[in-house]
Amino acid sequence: MPGGYPGYMIFEDLQTTPTASELLDTAFSRAARAGRAKHGVEAQQSMLQTASNVLSDNLEYVVRDWPDFETLDPFYYELADALVGVDELRQHLSEVSWAGRKTHELGREYIGRLPKGDADAAKKIRQQAFARMGSVMNEVAADLEAIGEARNTLSKLPDIDPEVPTIAVAGYPNVGKTAFVNSVTRAHNETAAYPFTTTGINVGHVERDHLTYQIVDTPGLLDRPENERNEIESQATSALAHVADLVLYFYDPSETCGYPLEDQQALQAEIEATVDAPMIVVCSKADLSEAIEADHYLTIPSETAGEAVGETPMEVLEAAIERLDVDIELPFER
């Protein structure tokens, strides 16, 4: 998989974005405390310096907290672009960065204007500076709000590591995908609803020969044709195309899933054209029908009332891992 930003929990670790009013309240209240500790012109200078530092430091931190989108793995870049629009978010961050520089400059500018020995005149200059800082913050209030909303949305993205070998499970609903993932991953799987799906993505993990594999079932994305997905879902599907190293495509030739075999075949062709990864075809519910040419035939007992036929889910998983053929170098190997 392509390299990317170090660590895959990149958006979950983003700090909550403060609002403009919250930053102003904090800056001015700290400035007031700083001013009470001094007298005369020195008090006004301390208030100016404190307010300027609080605003500029916090605004710059908001910007620095975000990763460089140019270094993101394509998986996360496309998901972020689908959900919040990367170009729009960059513009908001640019405006906030400007505000950080501007509040710093205002502090220096107005501190330089303070007269010596005239506390009343110094107070008026400090008040003018505070008014201008307030105006700057009002200019970026909407930007901070948009950044906060983007952070809240992206923090819900799936815990999928683009660096880990990944098996994507595809096929129409009710063909046995989720039962397969639950069966082979046992207690190591988790399900959560993400912003681009109406149902939960099922992410499982298995370990073989000191290497962890991800198994991802994506209801709402790889279980229906492109023309039935909305724009965000389509882009999320494109993102998954970057992270999938192999696709397990599940068929239910008995059609008890509720979808004709022809539709299932059309979806397979569509996914093959979208995802640049090898595909293994699995005939699920083989106790009911084997009327499809597949690489593997299996029955998941909890899914049907029939006798188990063909391979077990674990045997199919082992075949998928063997097909991936991931080479790893252990620390003691040379």
Side-chain angles (χ1 to χ4, degrees), residues 103-150:
T103 50
H104 177 72
E105 292 168 3
L106 287 172
R108 294 181 59 185
E109 175 186 344
Y110 279 87
I111 286 173
R113 293 186 187 183
L114 293 176
K116 295 182 179 180
D118 190 340
D120 290 337
K123 181 178 179 180
K124 290 181 181 178
I125 290 174
R126 189 266 302 165
Q127 289 172 334
Q128 291 172 6
F130 276 18
R132 289 194 62 186
M133 290 179 189
S135 295
V136 170
M137 296 305 298
N138 287 336
E139 285 191 49
V140 295
D143 297 292
L144 285 167
E145 183 178 353
I147 292 169
E149 291 174 354

Side-chain angles (χ1 to χ4, degrees), residues 204-219:
H205 300 87
V206 294
E207 188 171 314
R208 293 291 184 277
D209 299 325
H210 309 284
L211 187 65
T212 297
Y213 294 83
Q214 288 176 139
I215 306 175
V216 183
D217 177 21
T218 58

Side-chain angles (χ1 to χ4, degrees), residues 159-189:
D159 301 343
I160 297 175
D161 187 348
E163 300 299 322
V164 171
T166 301
I167 299 170
V169 183
Y172 269 96
N174 305 316
V175 296
K177 304 191 307 298
T178 300
F180 170 81
V181 175
N182 290 341
S183 174
V184 298
T185 58
R186 304 190 188 282
H188 304 293
N189 62 311

Side-chain angles (χ1 to χ4, degrees), residues 28-311:
F28 291 163
S29 63
R30 290 186 185 176
R33 288 198 299 272
R36 286 196 293 269
K38 301 181 184 301
H39 302 282
V41 175
E42 188 179 1
Q44 303 305 313
Q45 179 176 338
S46 181
M47 292 177 70
L48 268 172
Q49 189 69 64
T50 299
S52 173
N53 288 346
V54 169
L55 290 175
S56 61
D57 289 351
N58 278 277
L59 290 169
E60 284 302 321
Y61 180 77
V62 167
V63 177
R64 290 197 307 270
D65 197 31
W66 285 83
D68 179 358
F69 284 95
E70 294 303 322
T71 68
L72 284 183
D73 186 279
F75 171 65
Y76 277 108
Y77 184 98
E78 290 207 27
L79 288 184
D81 196 37
L83 292 168
V84 302
V86 168
D87 288 342
E88 291 85 351
L89 179 56
R90 280 174 169 156
Q91 184 60 40
H92 293 309
L93 290 168
S94 176
E95 293 297 323
V96 170
S97 182
W98 164 83
R101 295 191 301 273
K102 188 64 177 177
T103 50
H104 177 72
E105 292 168 3
L106 287 172
R108 294 181 59 185
E109 175 186 344
Y110 279 87
I111 286 173
R113 293 186 187 183
L114 293 176
K116 295 182 179 180
D118 190 340
D120 290 337
K123 181 178 179 180
K124 290 181 181 178
I125 290 174
R126 189 266 302 165
Q127 289 172 334
Q128 291 172 6
F130 276 18
R132 289 194 62 186
M133 290 179 189
S135 295
V136 170
M137 296 305 298
N138 287 336
E139 285 191 49
V140 295
D143 297 292
L144 285 167
E145 183 178 353
I147 292 169
E149 291 174 354
R151 178 264 174 197
N152 293 339
T153 297
L154 296 179
S155 66
K156 301 173 185 175
L157 282 176
D159 301 343
I160 297 175
D161 187 348
E163 300 299 322
V164 171
T166 301
I167 299 170
V169 183
Y172 269 96
N174 305 316
V175 296
K177 304 191 307 298
T178 300
F180 170 81
V181 175
N182 290 341
S183 174
V184 298
T185 58
R186 304 190 188 282
H188 304 293
N189 62 311
E190 62 233 13
T191 302
Y194 300 120
F196 48 81
T197 62
T198 56
T199 54
I201 284 184
N202 199 22
V203 182
H205 300 87
V206 294
E207 188 171 314
R208 293 291 184 277
D209 299 325
H210 309 284
L211 187 65
T212 297
Y213 294 83
Q214 288 176 139
I215 306 175
V216 183
D217 177 21
T218 58
L221 296 177
L222 298 181
D223 67 351
R224 66 182 192 271
E226 171 71 22
N227 60 12
E228 295 182 14
R229 305 179 196 129
N230 61 38
E231 184 176 350
I232 290 177
E233 290 170 337
S234 294
Q235 199 159 350
T237 302
S238 179
L240 284 167
H242 291 292
V243 79
D245 295 293
L246 182 141
V247 177
L248 280 178
Y249 188 82
F250 274 64
Y251 271 100
D252 172 13
S254 73
E255 301 182 352
T256 56
C257 63
Y259 298 93
L261 188 57
E262 292 78 6
D263 290 352
Q264 297 179 56
Q265 291 170 321
L267 181 60
Q268 178 195 353
E270 184 176 291
I271 292 173
E272 284 181 310
T274 302
V275 182
D276 185 20
M279 177 180 285
I280 291 177
V281 176
V282 178
C283 172
S284 184
K285 305 182 186 179
D287 59 314
L288 301 180
S289 174
E290 297 183 7
I292 186 71
E293 184 176 344
D295 299 300
H296 301 277
Y297 297 81
L298 82 158
T299 302
I300 303 175
S302 62
E303 288 289 287
T304 70
E307 295 283 333
V309 173
E311 298 170 270

